[in-house]
Amino acid sequence: MASQLVPASAAATILLIIISIFVIRRLQTPQARNTPDHHEVTNSPAEPSMLSKRLASELPNSIIFPHDAAFERSMNSYWAQQECEVVPACVVKPHNTQQLCTAVTILKSEYDEQRKRAGEGKVQGLFAVRSGGHSPVPGAASIEGGVLIDLSLFREVTPSEDGKSVVIGVGAKWMDVSKVLDQRGLAVVGGRNSAVGVGGLTLGGGLSFFSPRLGLVCSNVISYDIVLASGSCATASESTDSDLWRALKGGSNNFGIVTRMTARSFPSTQIWSGFLYMPAFQTTKVLKSFHEYVSRESSGNLDTACDAYAAGPIACFSYVHKLGIQAVAINLVYTKPPENEKEWPVCWKTSGFASLWRFWSTCKVQTLTSATDEMNVLNPPGRRQVFANTTIKNNLATLTAAYTAYYDAAISLRRFTIKGLLWTLVLQPLRPEWARKGDPNLLGLRDGNDNPLVVVSFTVNWDEGKNDALINATLRSTVEQIEAVAAANNTGHRYRYLNYCAHWQKPFKGYSEENWRFLQGVSRKFDPEGLFQRGCVGGFKLDIDL
């Protein structure tokens, strides 16, 4: 019997599918820090500074020096590898609010002394603050040769007796929150990645699986406990220091150090969520399906309208540099379990995604913790990372142009040897109406129309520091190319999601001139000498003249 040969084109397709499956499974496998990624502290100061000695004298049980065993563990607790390489003079790890107040008082005293000595000159940064340590922005939560305030002991998660609110320490990660609340059949409007810190996400605005129904993360915080530049404690709420309360809803770390927040909670048992994994040849259909779904009306028949319980779609296109191939993944979420767990929710079943050929789907009914863990597994810690983003109107031509810019950049990098490079474009909807739900915020999305927007973001990771400059330059050029196309098509938007911004981006300028000025005014009121504008490094500052 003669053997039957597989046609060359079919064989190539089969081979590509097999490679794609291998790549996707590799992306799903958490990778521990290997030896090259494990950073050993070698360039620490030989002698503690006078500031470090003063902090050690006042807080002997809360300070860690480079010679202490706990110091290296602290340095390696960041998500992005480049943050692990920034070595402070000491780490202050307060056990309670009073200790944090003492630390801030000492830092403010040193800051005032430096201002006197500097005169008209610029005061150098003294300290940084870390809650979850998940930002890849260089120096976002780290400082070379200064003081790092580590809030990891502020990680309480305490639901109220009536189940309507929960007190959350900013040192907690969202997995800490969901694990407690899952057991009580509760949830909060919180992070979608279990390893992300509570503090940074919330102070930057925060997108959530629950945002379509309840608004942004920041718009669901009832109150904030904060240590101000004076070293005093305050609780900002709608009725007390309401201007500060409002400024913290997207204003980042510009007003003090938030220690804990009280967030609204609500009944929630399980959600339907997961990823669809597809080959690269589905890209055109994915973009079309994404555009069509995001274009749906906000209300009406679920066959043709958006459903407030539906989150996403989040479309991810990942180019694997070493193999020269692309993997596509689509995240779909429905925050109310369907009556029949084996069937897709109606809004997703009637979308274009349901009919697309795919390798497999992980969509199922699961706990919120499990769903956010799945997000985390796709991008584990221990690698060099960079983010950047822009916002466009939901226009198919501009979406296609964004994808083309991403793909062309990935191909251009093939000329270089970049170990471990994974170049990922992420598209996700942002409806301005979400910003109108919950408490008022200052993101600048409430004052326009309700036409849907799309956050176009990049998450790029690689292994070696020698490629940092090339990656950052290519990424900036790519984002600026997308923005130029959007401007030409009149499909751009001023908003930049702070939590996805690169270090060179200016998110507060996208909040509107009025809101930006309001934030500056609140900073001057609660921090007139600018401790958190000049003395505290990291984060995005308000460009205040002091």
Side-chain angles (χ1 to χ4, degrees):
M1 181 175 175
S3 60
Q4 296 185 350
L5 298 178
V6 178
S9 59
T13 301
I14 293 170
L15 179 60
L16 181 59
I17 289 173
I18 292 171
I19 293 173
S20 299
I21 292 174
F22 167 78
V23 170
I24 291 172
R25 288 197 178 278
R26 184 174 181 272
L27 296 180
Q28 287 185 297
T29 304
Q31 297 177 16
R33 296 182 190 273
N34 55 32
T35 302
D37 285 338
H38 185 80
H39 180 68
E40 295 183 3
V41 178
T42 58
N43 58 338
S44 56
E47 181 69 22
S49 66
M50 292 301 297
L51 176 59
S52 298
K53 289 178 179 179
R54 185 178 174 192
L55 286 164
S57 175
E58 296 289 334
L59 301 166
N61 298 319
S62 301
I63 192 163
I64 306 170
F65 285 109
H67 59 264
D68 296 322
F71 190 86
E72 188 170 325
R73 290 196 299 272
S74 179
M75 291 301 95
N76 283 300
S77 64
Y78 291 98
W79 176 62
Q81 178 61 25
Q82 63 264 39
E83 284 283 78
C84 300
E85 297 167 1
V86 181
V87 182
C90 65
V91 177
V92 176
K93 195 172 183 177
H95 291 74
N96 52 52
T97 302
Q98 185 54 55
Q99 289 188 352
L100 179 58
C101 289
T102 299
V104 172
T105 299
I106 294 170
L107 290 166
K108 178 60 163 57
S109 175
E110 176 67 19
Y111 175 75
D112 290 341
E113 287 297 319
Q114 284 200 14
R115 288 184 74 215
K116 290 178 184 177
R117 293 195 297 268
E120 297 297 322
K122 184 177 180 181
V123 176
Q124 298 298 315
L126 290 174
F127 68 101
V129 181
R130 180 177 70 194
S131 57
H134 201 271
S135 172
V137 175
S142 59
I143 181 170
E144 189 71 43
V147 177
L148 173 63
I149 296 179
D150 178 358
L151 299 176
S152 60
L153 296 181
F154 290 82
R155 58 190 311 136
E156 66 178 291
V157 181
T158 308
S160 63
E161 291 187 6
D162 63 7
K164 294 182 179 180
S165 65
V166 55
V167 176
I168 307 171
V170 297
K173 296 185 178 181
W174 287 107
M175 68 177 76
D176 303 317
V177 179
S178 62
K179 284 177 181 177
V180 171
L181 298 184
D182 279 346
Q183 296 176 357
R184 305 214 178 189
L186 298 171
V188 294
V189 180
R192 301 171 295 184
N193 181 320
S194 62
V196 169
V198 167
L201 178 92
T202 307
L203 294 174
L207 292 171
S208 170
F209 291 143
F210 299 101
S211 289
R213 183 159 61 100
L214 299 170
L216 304 178
V217 177
C218 66
S219 296
N220 286 274
V221 177
I222 299 168
S223 65
Y224 303 82
D225 291 349
I226 184 171
V227 176
L228 301 172
S230 62
S232 62
C233 302
T235 298
S237 67
E238 189 173 17
S239 59
T240 305
D241 290 328
S242 59
D243 51 353
L244 178 59
W245 172 73
R246 189 176 170 212
L248 290 167
K249 296 179 181 296
S252 194
N253 65 347
N254 286 291
F255 313 100
I257 301 177
V258 175
T259 58
R260 56 183 57 83
M261 53 191 74
T262 302
R264 297 184 187 90
S265 54
F266 48 88
S268 178
T269 53
Q270 295 181 309
I271 68 173
W272 182 92
S273 73
F275 281 86
L276 311 178
Y277 291 99
M278 302 177 182
F281 64 73
Q282 293 284 48
T283 294
T284 300
K285 292 181 179 179
V286 168
L287 291 172
K288 183 174 183 290
S289 298
F290 178 94
H291 172 258
E292 289 176 349
Y293 183 84
V294 177
S295 296
R296 288 186 174 192
E297 295 295 328
S298 298
S299 59
N301 189 306
L302 293 184
D303 289 353
T304 57
C306 286
D307 186 330
Y309 287 94
I314 302 177
C316 309
F317 307 89
S318 295
Y319 191 87
V320 185
H321 180 77
K322 182 177 181 179
L323 300 177
I325 65 170
Q326 177 183 261
V328 181
I330 314 297
N331 179 246
L332 305 178
V333 175
Y334 196 75
T335 56
K336 182 173 68 175
E339 293 182 4
N340 185 341
E341 293 188 4
K342 295 183 179 180
E343 291 189 3
W344 282 27
V346 172
C347 64
W348 293 126
K349 184 162 41 172
T350 57
S351 74
F353 296 108
S355 61
L356 294 184
W357 190 91
R358 53 188 178 267
F359 296 130
W360 74 89
S361 164
T362 66
C363 294
K364 62 182 178 181
V365 174
Q366 56 188 318
T367 64
L368 184 59
T369 299
S370 177
T372 58
D373 278 344
E374 186 174 15
M375 282 283 200
N376 178 47
V377 162
L378 291 176
N379 199 355
R383 310 192 67 215
R384 311 188 81 78
Q385 305 273 356
V386 66
F387 290 165
N389 80 106
T390 190
T391 303
I392 62 174
K393 297 174 184 177
N394 183 39
N395 172 269
L396 183 57
T398 310
L399 287 170
T400 302
Y403 172 83
T404 300
Y406 140 83
Y407 188 79
D408 288 348
I411 296 301
S412 74
L413 290 170
R414 292 281 291 168
R415 306 193 312 268
F416 304 96
T417 301
I418 307 174
K419 185 179 178 182
L421 175 61
L422 189 65
W423 181 266
T424 300
L425 169 71
V426 181
L427 305 176
Q428 56 186 308
L430 174 62
R431 290 181 172 271
E433 66 197 59
W434 300 351
R436 299 191 183 96
K437 299 180 179 182
D439 302 322
N441 61 66
L442 293 168
L443 305 185
L445 294 167
R446 301 169 63 92
D447 53 2
N449 58 43
D450 283 338
N451 292 334
L453 303 173
V454 176
V455 176
V456 179
S457 63
F458 287 81
T459 176
V460 182
N461 50 75
W462 66 103
D463 289 345
E464 298 176 331
K466 66 182 182 180
N467 301 124
D468 289 4
L470 172 63
I471 297 297
N472 281 280
T474 304
L475 180 57
R476 181 167 185 169
S477 174
T478 304
V479 171
E480 290 175 346
Q481 179 183 339
I482 294 169
E483 291 176 341
V485 171
N489 292 344
N490 195 29
T491 54
H493 194 275
R494 71 188 183 206
Y495 180 70
R496 303 292 179 269
Y497 180 38
L498 185 148
N499 291 331
Y500 293 166
C501 277
H503 69 278
W504 45 268
Q505 297 189 288
K506 303 288 185 182
F508 295 123
K509 291 186 177 181
Y511 284 16
S512 82
E513 183 76 15
E514 179 184 357
N515 289 343
W516 184 24
R517 297 304 176 197
F518 177 84
L519 290 169
Q520 291 178 327
V522 174
S523 173
R524 290 190 181 99
K525 176 180 177 181
F526 289 93
D527 183 16
E529 288 80 28
L531 176 67
F532 288 95
Q533 295 301 303
R534 298 287 187 269
C536 177
V537 304
F540 296 95
K541 302 305 180 185
L542 296 171
D543 295 338
I544 297 175
D545 293 327
L546 296 170

